[in-house]
Amino acid sequence: MPTGLSSLANLKYGDIFAERFSMKVRLFIDVNLASGEIIELRKDHKHYVQNVLRCRSGREIFVFNPNDGEYKAIFKGEGQIEIVEQTIEPIRENGLSLIFAPIKFGKIDYMVQKATELGVTRIQPVQTRFTAITRINYDRLSANAIEAAEQTGRINFPHIDEIMSLEKLIESWDKKQKIIFCDESKTGKPIKQVLESMPKTAKDFAILIGPEGGFAKDEAEYLRGKKFVHPASMGKRLLRAETAAIAALGVFQAIKGDWN
Amino acid sequence: MPTGLSSLANLKYGDIFAERFSMKVRLFIDVNLASGEIIELRKDHKHYVQNVLRCRSGREIFVFNPNDGEYKAIFKGEGQIEIVEQTIEPIRENGLSLIFAPIKFGKIDYMVQKATELGVTRIQPVQTRFTAITRINYDRLSANAIEAAEQTGRINFPHIDEIMSLEKLIESWDKKQKIIFCDESKTGKPIKQVLESMPKTAKDFAILIGPEGGFAKDEAEYLRGKKFVHPASMGKRLLRAETAAIAALGVFQAIKGDWN
C-alpha cells in the first residue's frame, strides 16, 4: 500500500523541505509495537524514509496502529527502526459512521480522505435508486484512509464496508447508533437542533448523505419512518454530496463530537 | 466563461439524462433581467442549451444575477430566451468571508467551489510566511465560483479579492467583521463555544484558515493580539487546509449562519 508515498508526489519544494527537516514522519505499521523492539521497514516505507525523505540514522520516526497506539522510534539506517516509547495510547474513538451513495472516482477518494481527517471510524457505501456508480475499489479507498490517518495524527482509520442496498442496510442496522439523515427535502429540522436534541447517552452516530440525484421520494419516506433516523436540514443551497458529507461531519464534531 | 459547460464534461450518462429531461437549468447572465424581455444567449450558453442539453423551444430555463435575482425564462429556440417572471428576489446574504493562504492548483478550485456552495460572499487569499504559492488565476477561480453558484441555487457568488500580506490585510480590516481564526495550536476555545459567544448583532464574519505549513509563531501571536480575531479550535486531528475551510464554513452556517 503506497502509504505516505502518494502524498509526496504532490508536494512542492517547500513541503519537501519541511518534511525533510522538521515535519513529523508518521507511518502506519501493521505489526506489534513495543519499546525496545527493532523493526525492519516494509519496502515502500524503506524507500520513502531513505530515498525520498533522506532520513539519516538517529532521525525520529513515529509509527502507529490501532491496537498499539503510536510509538516514537529511531531510524537506525538500512531500513531498520528501533521502537523507543509510546506516544499515544490506543483509544477507542466514539463510533462515527459515514453512509453515502458512491460518487465518481476522485470525488470518492477525496471524501474518504476528508472523512478520515474528520474522525470517521467506519465508511459504509450504500446503493440507492439513483446511485449511478456501483463498483468500488476497496483497496484504493483503504489506502487513502491509511494515508490520511498518517497525516492527520490518528492511530486508527475508518474501515470501508462493502456496499449494500439501502433497505438491507437499514433493516440490519443496530438501532442504538443514531443516523443523522442529511435530508435535502428541507423538511427536517436544522442540523444543529437535531444534534442538540440527542440524548447524552447516545455515543455512536452515523451521518447519511444521499446520492448526487437525491433519494427517491419513497426512499426518503422510508428513512423518515424509522425511529433511529433523524432527518436534518443543512440550509437552502443545494450541496454536492461530498460538500454535504464534509460539512456535516464538521458540524457533528463541533456540536456532539470531540471538537467540543 | 465556461459556465455550466465544464460541469457537463464530468457528468455520467445518468446525469445527462436527468439534466436533459428534468433538472433545473440555471445560467448566470450578466445583463438586466425583467419580465417580458427577449434575451440573446451568449455563444457558450447557446451551445450548452442547444447542443449539449438539446433543449427544445418551450423548455424552462432559469437565469440569475446578483442584482436582479432569479427569473424563469422560456427557451424560444435559436439561442433566444423570453424572461417570464421573477422566482428569487435579489437579497443581500450575510457577509461571510473566507480568508486562506493559497493552496495548489486543483485544491484551490475545489475550495472556491465548496465555499460557494456553503454561502461565502467574499474570498480573500492571504500571503503568510509559509505560503508557498503566490500566483493565483483569478479568472479561473471566478469561473469556478459562478459555476458553483449556478448549481447550488445562489443568485450571487463570492468575489475573489486580490492576494495581500497578512499584516496589510489585518491592519486594513473592518473591525466590525469578526474573524474566526481556525488556530491549529489548540490554544483556542472550541469553535462551537467561540461562535456561540458572538453577540447577536454581529452580522459579518470571516473564517481564517492558515497555510499548509501553519502560521509562523509570531504571525499566530499577532493574530491573537487583535480584538476582532477570535482563535477557535477544531479538535486534535491535523486538518488539511481545504478540509478545515469546508468544515469550519459548515459549522459556521449551522451555528451562526443561515442553516439555523
Side-chain angles (χ1 to χ4, degrees):
Chain A
M1 236 160 317
T3 58
L5 296 175
S6 50
S7 65
L8 208 83
N10 296 323
L11 291 176
K12 294 269 157 198
Y13 179 73
D15 299 308
I16 290 172
F17 187 88
E19 183 109 34
R20 277 197 197 149
F21 294 98
S22 69
M23 253 175 68
K24 185 171 175 176
V25 179
R26 276 188 109 236
L27 305 173
F28 164 67
I29 294 194
D30 201 10
V31 297
N32 292 344
L33 302 172
S35 303
E37 280 186 28
I38 306 276
I39 289 175
E40 185 81 26
L41 290 177
R42 228 171 42 208
K43 203 177 158 195
D44 58 335
H45 281 155
K46 190 173 165 180
H47 171 73
Y48 175 64
V49 166
Q50 294 187 180
N51 305 337
V52 182
L53 299 182
R54 299 195 193 163
C55 294
R56 302 197 181 175
S57 56
R59 167 78 189 246
E60 265 181 11
I61 287 176
F62 293 82
V63 291
F64 68 97
N65 67 45
N67 288 332
D68 304 312
E70 186 191 81
Y71 279 79
K72 187 169 90 176
I74 298 295
F75 183 55
K76 311 286 287 178
E78 305 294 328
Q80 286 192 327
I81 57 170
E82 183 178 348
I83 309 291
V84 181
E85 58 182 1
Q86 195 177 47
T87 43
I88 302 177
E89 286 186 17
I91 41 153
R92 188 185 167 275
E93 291 176 333
N94 278 345
L96 176 58
S97 302
L98 174 64
I99 310 169
F100 73 102
I103 45 180
K104 64 173 180 264
F105 183 85
K107 280 183 156 195
I108 194 172
D109 301 79
Y110 195 91
M111 198 194 265
V112 167
Q113 283 170 26
K114 301 303 170 217
T116 307
E117 291 176 60
L118 294 168
V120 163
T121 52
R122 178 180 156 217
I123 290 179
Q124 172 68 63
V126 67
Q127 174 74 43
T128 73
R129 190 93 47 80
F130 298 151
T131 309
I133 292 159
T134 52
R135 290 189 62 183
I136 293 175
N137 185 332
Y138 296 95
D139 287 344
R140 201 188 65 229
L141 293 188
S142 287
N144 272 314
I146 290 174
E147 192 191 313
E150 287 177 340
Q151 295 188 4
T152 203
R154 287 178 68 169
I155 58 158
N156 56 6
F157 44 88
H159 183 261
I160 321 270
D161 282 308
E162 268 192 59
I163 189 163
M164 59 171 88
S165 74
L166 182 65
E167 201 182 347
K168 196 175 160 198
L169 178 75
I170 293 297
E171 295 308 323
S172 63
W173 192 258
D174 172 5
K175 289 161 191 59
K176 286 200 289 286
Q177 186 176 11
K178 311 258 180 204
I179 296 181
I180 309 298
F181 163 32
C182 298
D183 187 356
E184 286 187 304
S185 73
K186 325 295 179 218
T187 51
K189 287 180 187 161
I191 188 165
K192 174 175 182 272
Q193 212 173 309
V194 171
L195 288 170
E196 285 176 343
S197 72
M198 292 290 146
K200 283 205 174 157
T201 48
K203 260 170 65 182
D204 291 348
F205 287 89
I207 301 287
L208 166 62
I209 302 291
E212 295 287 348
F215 285 103
K217 268 188 187 168
D218 57 332
E219 287 176 330
E221 273 311 312
Y222 166 71
L223 286 166
R224 285 187 212 109
K226 299 289 172 188
K227 273 203 169 165
F228 54 94
V229 176
H230 302 268
S233 158
M234 306 213 301
K236 286 179 191 165
R237 286 175 292 270
L238 256 170
L239 303 178
R240 285 177 176 100
E242 75 277 15
T243 316
I246 302 166
L249 291 170
V251 173
F252 176 86
Q253 292 294 23
I255 293 178
K256 200 80 192 170
D258 59 18
W259 292 1
N260 212 332
Chain B
M1 232 156 328
T3 57
L5 296 177
S6 50
S7 64
L8 208 82
N10 295 323
L11 292 176
K12 294 267 157 200
Y13 179 73
D15 300 309
I16 290 173
F17 187 88
E19 181 109 37
R20 276 196 197 150
F21 296 96
S22 69
M23 254 176 67
K24 187 169 174 177
V25 180
R26 277 188 106 233
L27 305 172
F28 164 68
I29 294 195
D30 201 9
V31 298
N32 292 343
L33 301 173
S35 302
E37 277 186 31
I38 306 276
I39 289 175
E40 184 81 27
L41 291 176
R42 230 169 41 207
K43 202 178 158 193
D44 59 336
H45 281 155
K46 190 173 163 179
H47 172 71
Y48 175 64
V49 167
Q50 297 186 179
N51 304 337
V52 181
L53 298 183
R54 299 196 194 163
C55 293
R56 302 199 178 173
S57 56
R59 166 79 188 244
E60 266 182 11
I61 286 175
F62 293 82
V63 292
F64 68 97
N65 68 46
N67 289 333
D68 304 312
E70 186 190 82
Y71 278 80
K72 186 168 90 176
I74 298 294
F75 182 55
K76 310 286 285 179
E78 305 294 328
Q80 286 192 330
I81 57 169
E82 182 178 348
I83 308 291
V84 181
E85 59 183 359
Q86 196 176 48
T87 42
I88 303 177
E89 286 187 18
I91 41 151
R92 189 186 165 275
E93 290 175 336
N94 279 345
L96 175 59
S97 301
L98 174 64
I99 311 170
F100 73 101
I103 46 180
K104 64 172 180 267
F105 183 85
K107 281 182 155 196
I108 193 172
D109 300 79
Y110 196 90
M111 198 194 267
V112 167
Q113 283 169 26
K114 301 301 170 217
T116 307
E117 290 175 60
L118 295 168
V120 162
T121 52
R122 181 179 154 217
I123 290 178
Q124 173 68 63
V126 66
Q127 175 73 43
T128 73
R129 190 93 47 79
F130 298 150
T131 308
I133 291 158
T134 52
R135 289 189 62 185
I136 293 175
N137 185 334
Y138 295 96
D139 286 344
R140 200 188 66 228
L141 292 189
S142 287
N144 272 313
I146 291 173
E147 192 190 314
E150 288 178 340
Q151 296 186 5
T152 203
R154 287 179 67 169
I155 58 157
N156 56 6
F157 45 87
H159 183 262
I160 322 270
D161 282 308
E162 268 192 57
I163 189 164
M164 59 169 89
S165 73
L166 183 66
E167 200 182 349
K168 197 175 160 199
L169 178 76
I170 293 297
E171 295 308 323
S172 64
W173 191 258
D174 172 4
K175 289 162 191 56
K176 286 199 291 285
Q177 188 175 11
K178 311 256 179 206
I179 296 180
I180 310 298
F181 164 32
C182 298
D183 188 355
E184 287 186 303
S185 73
K186 326 291 179 215
T187 52
K189 289 180 187 159
I191 186 165
K192 173 173 181 272
Q193 209 173 313
V194 172
L195 287 170
E196 284 177 342
S197 71
M198 293 289 145
K200 283 207 174 157
T201 49
K203 260 169 63 181
D204 292 347
F205 287 88
I207 302 286
L208 167 61
I209 303 290
E212 294 287 348
F215 284 104
K217 270 189 186 167
D218 58 332
E219 287 176 330
E221 273 311 314
Y222 166 72
L223 285 167
R224 285 189 211 107
K226 300 289 173 187
K227 275 205 168 164
F228 54 95
V229 177
H230 303 267
S233 158
M234 306 213 301
K236 287 178 189 164
R237 287 175 291 269
L238 254 170
L239 303 177
R240 286 181 176 95
E242 75 277 14
T243 316
I246 302 167
L249 291 171
V251 174
F252 177 86
Q253 292 294 21
I255 292 177
K256 200 78 190 171
D258 58 19
W259 292 1
N260 213 333

